[in-house]
Amino acid sequence: MYGVGGGGGGFNAPSTTAGRRRNPGDEEEDEEEEGGEGRVLEAWERAYADERSWELLQEDESGLLRPIDTKTLFHAQYRRRLLLRSAAAAAARIQKGLIRYLYIVIDLSRAASEMDYRPSRMAVVAKHEIGGSPESQIKALMGKLECSGDSSLQNALELVHGYLDQVPSYGHKEILVLYSALNTFDPGDIMETITKCKKSKIRCSVIGLAAEIFICKHLCEETGGSYTVALDESHFKELLLEHAPPPPAIAEYAAANLIKMGFPQRGAEDLISICSCHKKIKSGAEGYICPRCKVNVCELPTECRTCGLTLVSSPHLARSYHHLFPVAPFDEVTPVPNRIQRGGQICFSCQQSLFNPDGQSNLHVRCPKCNQHFCLDCDIYIHESLHNCPGCESERSITS
Amino acid sequence: MTSAHSKLYSDDVSLVVVVVDTNPFFWAAAAAALPFADFFAHLIHFVNSILLLNHLNRVVVIAAGVSSCAYILDSSDVSPSGGVGISDTFDRASRKAEEFIAQDARATAGNGSVASANAASLLSGALSLALCYIQRIFRSGTRHPQPRILCLQGSPDGPEQYVAVMNSIFSAQRSMVPIDSCIVGTQDSAFLQQASYITGGVYFKPQELNGVSAIRRLSTWDMFVQFVCQYSARIRRSVQPAGQNSVVSCLI
């Protein structure tokens, strides 16, 4: 059994280095962390001592609290995330693993019912999705949430390893563990399991909700994954979204071969056959017909049991295209007081006015390619969900 | 920022975003059966019937041209003359549509790369605008109209727009916005079949009946009425046989 190890709260945010204590050699880091007491502050302490979060609250005329303007905060967070991502992508043309077989392991042990994340850790975990998964899956998961017992990292890894063994070689195998507990009860030697995962080229990443745990860190280092610990709910969401884009493919594992795939069509309605997955009688219209061996399969994507061909439909592949053709980050347009900017009156996509009621122009953004202006909310929506710039799509380029 | 669970739809109140194909090449060829001016007049009647059903209903019309897309009508805009009524809506929308078509024609004439025979209208751009507008409505509060998109498409699909159209479809699926499509032309549109299938909307292509051409039939009330009310659209969806939604071309 491995208990809590390491310093408290090691995580990915670039601006902090918790764990370095009074090291005289690191002068530049100490300067930004030095608190009033003259010792290095932990990240959680900094929120109270340096940033003074209570001072953000304001009262209006009648003494009631005014809501904090979180809009610019969201936008700043989103821009930081976007610029980091695009800088990394522009620096090197890294081959990405687009076909990913990702297993998400959610810790449902007793530790998950801890209340430090509102309403409880497991509710927070279940609410966020990595993108692309339909709402119905989330609803089904929320309906089944109950936690009990202790968590075992080794059992989880063994289980997923068994599933991922059957995955074809071009697929990237990944595990994402959302870990709430501070320890793990394992029936055997977890180091063996870790070596097994490493040999099968499974990339394990962990997002911790409590503190940094040595065994998780070791697992991630060995398999090439990333280990992050969430500070609070919004930070957790950021960390989760970082796993959404495809990770860089490890060179010797991913050969750029051609992959054979089948695109089955629905059968004719009057075709009665036995489906290969459930061994039940089904009409042709309810299933799909494998183009190579003509057996009936019920759902896509799947692998044909008879001939081994991967069967997908084109929307399944199309969901990943936005990773290949991302939208360029928009430039911020600094508001110039008392001057009407050309084209900067309303947001091009949602037609909302870009000016405050008192005539001052709000902060907004502009696409560098089509020069249309957009409001901040549309900017976030375009880059995180839509993946098309409405301005670029609404004009016919000369070369096309 | 809003998650699926926090949306509370106002009962019976809908926001319909109509994407109208104004491709001049297509409408020139279809002018014999139904001139664009008549079609547009029928569209305005359709818009007004939606607005009559419930005073809180909202309709937005976006035109998809060959070289550009623009908003033609937003029913929540207050007109400068202060008039509200069928003729007023018609005037505003017609004026805007004429301006847009003239401007689109100028842009197309200046762009020599557009092939006249199979020029596609910018469906991806119009869908993106529609989705951004719907997101703005979602941000406006907890009680807001139930949105849906209706595409009136005549021109063929442009293959260069495939990735953009699929991105819009997936975003609509995630925001739970159904995309209904009504084909005005003669060819099926694979993009719109996919859109309606994935988002749970209705794909409709009227057939020629009793010698009346398909496009002429669109001007009759019984064709449009099924799209007017969200409930009638739902009824249409439930009786549509499964085979029609998954036509062979749609899954490739």
Side-chain angles (χ1 to χ4, degrees), chain B residues 8 24 31-32 51 56 72 89 150-151 155 180 192 196 198 224 228 246:
Chain B
L8 289 172
L51 294 173
L56 293 173
I72 298 291
T89 323
L150 169 63
C151 289
S155 27
D180 299 324
L192 288 177
S196 301
I198 291 177
F224 263 129
V228 166
S246 42

Side-chain angles (χ1 to χ4, degrees), chain B residues 102-209:
Chain B
Q103 177 207 337
D104 191 46
R106 279 196 298 271
T108 311
N111 185 350
S113 66
V114 176
S116 63
N118 270 328
S121 54
L122 295 173
L123 178 67
S124 56
L127 281 179
S128 307
L129 289 177
L131 287 168
C132 288
Y133 188 88
I134 290 175
Q135 287 299 312
R136 173 186 161 189
I137 297 299
F138 284 155
R139 288 194 297 267
S140 68
T142 45
R143 294 186 69 76
H144 50 68
Q146 184 162 5
R148 58 198 163 102
I149 298 179
L150 169 63
C151 289
L152 303 171
Q153 179 82 355
S155 27
D157 294 330
E160 69 276 4
Q161 296 175 37
Y162 175 72
V163 178
V165 170
M166 295 308 288
N167 283 337
S168 313
I169 294 172
F170 296 136
S171 187
Q173 182 194 26
R174 228 172 311 156
S175 323
M176 297 200 293
V177 173
I179 298 180
D180 299 324
S181 8
C182 180
I183 301 299
V184 178
T186 46
Q187 347 173 339
D188 280 311
S189 161
F191 287 170
L192 288 177
Q193 282 175 341
Q194 288 269 28
S196 301
Y197 180 65
I198 291 177
T199 58
V202 173
Y203 174 82
F204 179 62
K205 181 170 183 293
Q207 306 299 320
E208 189 171 317
L209 187 65

Side-chain angles (χ1 to χ4, degrees), chain A residues 135 265-266 314-315 318-319 321 348-352 377 381 385-388 393-396 398 400, chain B residues 4 66-68 71 111 113 120 124 128-129 132 135-136 139 160 164 167-168 170-171 173-174 197 246 252:
Chain A
E135 278 73 19
Q265 303 168 8
R266 281 199 185 269
S314 55
R319 279 184 205 274
Y321 289 166
F348 177 74
S349 50
C350 69
Q351 306 284 297
Q352 199 164 25
D377 299 305
Y381 174 65
S385 182
L386 185 58
H387 306 294
N388 288 339
E393 293 302 322
S394 301
E395 59 181 27
R396 175 82 61 170
I398 310 289
S400 71
Chain B
V66 173
S67 305
S68 55
Y71 282 83
N111 185 350
S113 66
S124 56
S128 307
L129 289 177
C132 288
Q135 287 299 312
R136 173 186 161 189
R139 288 194 297 267
E160 69 276 4
N167 283 337
S168 313
F170 296 136
S171 187
Q173 182 194 26
R174 228 172 311 156
Y197 180 65
S246 42
I252 298 292

Side-chain angles (χ1 to χ4, degrees), chain A residues 184-387:
Chain A
T184 165
F185 291 87
D186 297 324
D189 183 7
I190 193 170
M191 293 304 194
E192 267 183 36
T193 317
I194 294 181
T195 336
K196 220 175 17 166
C197 287
K198 187 172 170 183
K199 232 190 303 188
S200 326
K201 303 171 204 163
I202 301 179
R203 183 177 183 263
C204 306
S205 301
V206 179
I207 300 183
L209 277 80
E212 177 176 300
I213 304 174
F214 169 74
I215 190 59
C216 294
K217 189 159 178 174
H218 181 73
L219 167 67
C220 296
E221 276 171 4
E222 287 286 307
T223 55
S226 71
Y227 180 42
T228 51
V229 177
L231 286 177
D232 54 29
E233 192 178 331
S234 59
H235 187 224
F236 173 69
K237 183 175 178 191
E238 268 188 49
L239 292 176
L240 200 56
L241 287 177
E242 270 173 31
H243 285 97
I250 306 173
E252 62 264 17
Y253 294 163
N257 290 330
L258 294 178
I259 300 167
K260 213 171 206 175
M261 287 195 170
F263 291 90
Q265 303 168 8
R266 281 199 185 269
E269 275 201 29
D270 47 359
L271 170 76
I272 310 287
S273 61
I274 300 179
C275 78
S276 56
C277 24
H278 307 105
K279 311 288 186 289
K280 288 202 188 121
I281 295 186
K282 293 248 160 95
S283 133
E286 292 172 43
Y288 302 89
I289 308 290
C290 170
R292 195 152 69 177
C293 62
K294 311 282 188 261
V295 304
N296 193 327
V297 292
C298 286
E299 48 182 34
L300 298 179
T302 186
E303 206 173 279
C304 175
R305 277 173 196 239
T306 322
C307 63
L309 182 65
T310 308
L311 301 173
V312 291
S313 72
S314 55
H316 292 126
L317 293 179
R319 279 184 205 274
S320 321
Y321 289 166
H322 65 91
H323 295 299
L324 298 175
F325 310 112
V327 185
F330 292 164
D331 304 324
E332 283 188 1
V333 176
T334 46
V336 178
N338 298 327
R339 183 152 69 100
I340 309 283
Q341 302 193 359
R342 225 175 331 147
Q345 311 276 5
I346 50 173
C347 168
F348 177 74
S349 50
C350 69
Q351 306 284 297
Q352 199 164 25
S353 170
L354 291 172
F355 288 93
N356 267 336
D358 53 0
Q360 290 290 67
S361 89
N362 278 334
L363 179 64
H364 57 272
V365 290
R366 186 180 54 96
C367 171
K369 291 193 192 149
C370 59
N371 280 321
Q372 298 285 3
H373 293 248
F374 299 98
C375 61
L376 294 187
D377 299 305
C378 285
D379 182 22
I380 296 180
Y381 174 65
I382 288 168
H383 284 96
E384 306 230 307
S385 182
L386 185 58
H387 306 294

Side-chain angles (χ1 to χ4, degrees), chain A residues 56-280:
Chain A
L56 288 176
L57 294 173
Q58 292 165 355
E59 285 184 8
D60 63 9
E61 308 80 49
S62 49
L64 299 167
L65 286 180
R66 204 174 283 159
I68 302 175
D69 176 25
T70 49
K71 192 165 139 176
T72 39
L73 192 65
F74 278 145
H75 191 250
Q77 273 177 355
Y78 139 76
R79 277 199 77 81
R80 192 176 4 122
R81 192 165 59 223
L82 183 68
L83 289 171
L84 267 172
R85 202 189 302 165
S86 56
R93 298 175 69 82
I94 301 174
Q95 183 185 55
K96 295 201 179 175
L98 273 188
I99 301 183
R100 307 159 73 184
Y101 293 83
L102 172 70
Y103 274 86
I104 303 181
V105 178
I106 302 181
D107 179 3
L108 288 179
S109 69
R110 265 197 309 263
S113 60
E114 291 287 322
M115 296 301 215
D116 58 358
Y117 289 76
R118 305 260 108 239
S120 71
R121 284 181 192 171
M122 72 182 169
V124 167
V125 164
K127 205 173 66 161
H128 293 307
E129 38 143 320
I130 289 200
S133 69
E135 278 73 19
S136 56
Q137 284 189 13
I138 302 287
K139 285 203 185 83
L141 182 62
M142 301 220 41
K144 283 205 230 147
L145 284 186
E146 48 173 52
C147 55
S148 63
D150 302 307
S151 63
S152 165
L153 197 54
Q154 185 186 11
N155 281 342
L157 290 177
E158 288 281 343
L159 187 65
V160 178
H161 182 261
Y163 289 137
L164 283 178
D165 251 349
Q166 300 147 17
V167 154
S169 62
Y170 56 77
H172 285 78
K173 303 178 233 190
E174 296 172 37
I175 302 179
L176 176 64
V177 184
L178 305 173
Y179 211 61
S180 306
L182 289 175
N183 47 27
T184 165
F185 291 87
D186 297 324
D189 183 7
I190 193 170
M191 293 304 194
E192 267 183 36
T193 317
I194 294 181
T195 336
K196 220 175 17 166
C197 287
K198 187 172 170 183
K199 232 190 303 188
S200 326
K201 303 171 204 163
I202 301 179
R203 183 177 183 263
C204 306
S205 301
V206 179
I207 300 183
L209 277 80
E212 177 176 300
I213 304 174
F214 169 74
I215 190 59
C216 294
K217 189 159 178 174
H218 181 73
L219 167 67
C220 296
E221 276 171 4
E222 287 286 307
T223 55
S226 71
Y227 180 42
T228 51
V229 177
L231 286 177
D232 54 29
E233 192 178 331
S234 59
H235 187 224
F236 173 69
K237 183 175 178 191
E238 268 188 49
L239 292 176
L240 200 56
L241 287 177
E242 270 173 31
H243 285 97
I250 306 173
E252 62 264 17
Y253 294 163
N257 290 330
L258 294 178
I259 300 167
K260 213 171 206 175
M261 287 195 170
F263 291 90
Q265 303 168 8
R266 281 199 185 269
E269 275 201 29
D270 47 359
L271 170 76
I272 310 287
S273 61
I274 300 179
C275 78
S276 56
C277 24
H278 307 105
K279 311 288 186 289
K280 288 202 188 121

